[in-house]
Amino acid sequence: MAGSGQLSGITVLGSTGSIGVSTLDVISRHPDRYQVVALTANSDDAGLLEQCRQWRPHYAVMADDQAAERLLQNVKKEGLETTVMSGADALEQVAALDAVETVVAAIVGAAGLKPTLAAARAGKRILLANKEALVMSGRILMDEVEQNNAVLLPVDSEHNAIFQCLPVNGAQNLAQGGVEKILLTASGGPFRTTPVEMLENVTPEQAVTHPNWDMGRKISVDSATMMNKGLEVIEACWLFDIEPQRIQVVIHPQSVIHSMVSYIDGSVLAQLGNPDMRTPIAHTLAWPERIDSGVQALDIFEIGHLDFEAPDHERFPCLELAYQAIEQGGTAPAVLNAANEVAVNSFLGHKLPFQGIARVIRYSLEQASFTDVETLEQVLSADRQARELATEYIARL
Ligand code: NAD
Ligand code: MG
């Protein structure tokens, strides 16, 4: 265990991404506590090779076969001892290794679901950034965590803040703990004040330029549409076992308060900090201890004031769609998530206008057939159907 001399083994799924790199930055500050056992990426073999040189992991996995082949050649050439593997099954394998205590789930999108489930089945401590996994299959993932004594800790900054503000005896017990509601903060993204009539023509480059956070492209677009907050409402429902009506989205442009919990006695607890994901990553890595994250302390005088406003649903229709999906339940959130992934990809590829994202999702939710979620196959089938519907809608434009 960490702190007692023995190193704690870690797999970072999605290690070349924004969260992956921030995770390795925190780990680099604590060589006495953690050992990187496995790193994974999609197709950036150059990025993963660089990480292999620095971290000397036992395993490196590339989802893409050709990228894995290139990585393997280079690993051999440089005489590194890392075992290179490829494909979706290998991602699941390194999420479940005996030598691994903690799995950082930082793959973006539905691709992260199966390896995250594998980590849960193997009873790991899961640091969850991959919110899409929980949105798609909340019931299944939460059940696997419980049945296998896994531990699920939220890296998403809002959920991490809520986790820190919850009653001491934990997230299982909100009503008894006197929690009335959750105030989920949102920055409002780059288009918070852009005239609504101009939104149709905003570009991917404008959309991925977030005012406060430096993140991957998909979540940056999700922040611009506020679908990110919609996904986070659903994520919070599962993590904290709370009804969607008790989650209130609050626009807070400074992104200093990362979320709040409101109690029946009138107390509102908030977690504050500079907008830097290394704080929630360090918090979940060491929990229940605290470790240095490399993040500077908040200078409250420099911030001066904090602003709050209600979200504008005309500007951000995706938020409403997410509430509808979680109210609907069953496979509806999986449909919402898949249609969003297809739409965001098309927008990033200049094949769909910004406001088309919400139209694609609305269409997919209207056309899809929903079922209850009892098996993973039901989730994956809803995901496939929604991708087909969204693709077909976009092709007709
Ligand atoms: P990113 O695009 O920067 O990185 C994604 C990582 O996943 C990369 O390592 C990539 O190689 C890997 N990947 C992508 N597609 C894959 C596939 N098909 N198979 C296997 N691996 C694949 O994304 P990010 O910003 O780091 O976000 C990762 C997750 O964390 C997302 O679910 C996001 O919503 C969540 N999150 C991110 C932030 C942030 O600040 N970046 C904050 C909160 C939550
Ligand atoms: Mg977040």
Side-chain angles (χ1 to χ4, degrees):
M1 284 299 295
S4 62
Q6 209 186 327
L7 297 175
S8 171
I10 300 192
T11 286
V12 185
L13 300 168
S15 61
T16 56
S18 161
I19 293 288
V21 168
S22 293
T23 301
L24 292 174
D25 182 89
V26 176
I27 292 176
S28 72
R29 296 162 195 277
H30 304 281
D32 56 324
R33 296 179 74 112
Y34 307 112
Q35 179 183 23
V36 174
V37 176
L39 296 174
T40 85
N42 188 23
S43 55
D44 176 13
D45 56 293
L48 199 54
L49 176 65
E50 186 54 45
Q51 292 185 340
C52 287
R53 286 188 194 118
Q54 186 184 349
W55 291 97
R56 310 281 164 139
H58 300 324
Y59 302 95
V61 180
M62 307 244 40
D64 181 89
D65 291 341
Q66 287 175 356
E69 194 47 47
R70 289 192 296 271
L71 179 65
L72 177 63
Q73 295 311 325
N74 286 313
V75 159
K76 272 198 208 153
K77 200 157 61 186
E78 299 191 18
L80 300 171
E81 277 170 30
T82 300
T83 302
V84 176
M85 299 192 287
S86 75
D89 290 349
L91 291 173
E92 293 185 49
Q93 236 173 294
V94 295
L97 294 168
D98 284 344
V100 165
E101 182 179 350
T102 298
V103 174
V104 182
I107 291 176
V108 59
L113 174 58
K114 284 189 172 179
T116 305
L117 281 171
R121 253 179 252 119
K124 302 301 184 196
R125 176 176 166 117
I126 303 169
L127 276 44
L128 186 77
N130 180 211
K131 65 192 85 184
E132 295 92 346
L134 205 48
V135 169
M136 291 173 76
S137 72
R139 173 81 290 135
I140 293 173
L141 182 54
M142 296 309 287
D143 284 353
E144 291 285 15
V145 165
E146 196 179 316
Q147 284 160 20
N148 297 289
N149 294 318
V151 176
L152 189 62
L153 297 169
V155 169
D156 210 348
S157 57
E158 296 76 5
H159 305 72
N160 185 266
I162 294 160
F163 182 68
Q164 294 195 47
C165 296
L166 283 177
V168 183
N169 36 358
Q172 304 306 326
N173 209 0
L174 294 202
Q176 270 174 300
V179 172
E180 189 179 32
K181 63 179 177 182
I182 284 174
L183 300 168
L184 190 69
T185 55
S187 68
F191 304 138
R192 184 175 58 90
T193 57
T194 307
V196 174
E197 59 279 9
M198 287 175 68
L199 289 180
E200 193 70 13
N201 295 319
V202 296
T203 64
E205 291 66 35
Q206 290 170 306
V208 300
T209 311
H210 196 278
N212 307 334
W213 299 92
D214 181 13
M215 311 182 286
R217 284 161 69 78
K218 193 259 179 182
I219 185 177
S220 297
V221 176
D222 285 349
S223 298
T225 61
M226 279 195 81
M227 180 51 94
N228 183 49
K229 214 48 52 181
L231 299 176
E232 289 184 357
V233 168
I234 302 174
E235 182 185 13
C237 288
W238 287 112
L239 280 173
F240 307 121
D241 195 15
I242 187 169
E243 309 86 70
Q245 315 84 272
R246 292 210 288 148
I247 303 174
Q248 185 175 355
V249 173
V250 181
I251 304 240
H252 163 48
Q254 291 92 354
S255 298
V256 165
I257 295 182
H258 299 311
S259 277
M260 297 173 261
V261 177
S262 178
Y263 286 83
I264 50 173
D265 63 1
S267 301
V268 176
L269 302 194
Q271 185 261 1
L272 288 73
N274 284 315
D276 187 321
M277 291 306 293
R278 291 176 301 172
T279 294
I281 290 166
H283 175 260
T284 50
L285 270 173
W287 181 84
E289 294 172 29
R290 296 264 180 182
I291 55 172
D292 169 39
S293 65
V295 178
Q296 286 201 336
L298 189 65
D299 183 343
I300 209 124
F301 297 108
E302 194 186 319
I303 289 154
H305 64 273
L306 300 172
D307 298 313
F308 306 99
E309 55 194 65
D312 171 349
H313 290 282
E314 189 201 344
R315 176 184 298 273
F316 299 118
C318 285
L319 193 53
E320 206 63 47
L321 291 170
Y323 270 102
Q324 279 167 24
I326 186 70
E327 295 282 2
Q328 170 91 41
T331 51
V335 168
L336 174 95
N337 177 66
N340 181 54
E341 284 191 28
V342 171
V344 169
N345 250 327
S346 297
F347 169 68
L348 284 170
H350 299 268
K351 294 192 188 84
L352 184 71
F354 181 72
Q355 287 173 310
I357 296 173
R359 293 194 287 267
V360 169
I361 299 164
R362 184 173 292 113
Y363 172 81
S364 306
L365 283 170
E366 280 165 4
Q367 298 295 315
S369 45
F370 306 123
T371 64
D372 287 343
V373 170
E374 267 134 35
T375 65
L376 181 59
E377 192 37 54
Q378 289 170 316
V379 172
L380 298 177
S381 147
D383 176 272
R384 277 193 301 272
Q385 189 198 19
R387 280 171 204 272
E388 279 163 23
L389 286 167
T391 306
E392 159 206 307
Y393 180 95
I394 294 165
R396 278 196 266 113
L397 293 178

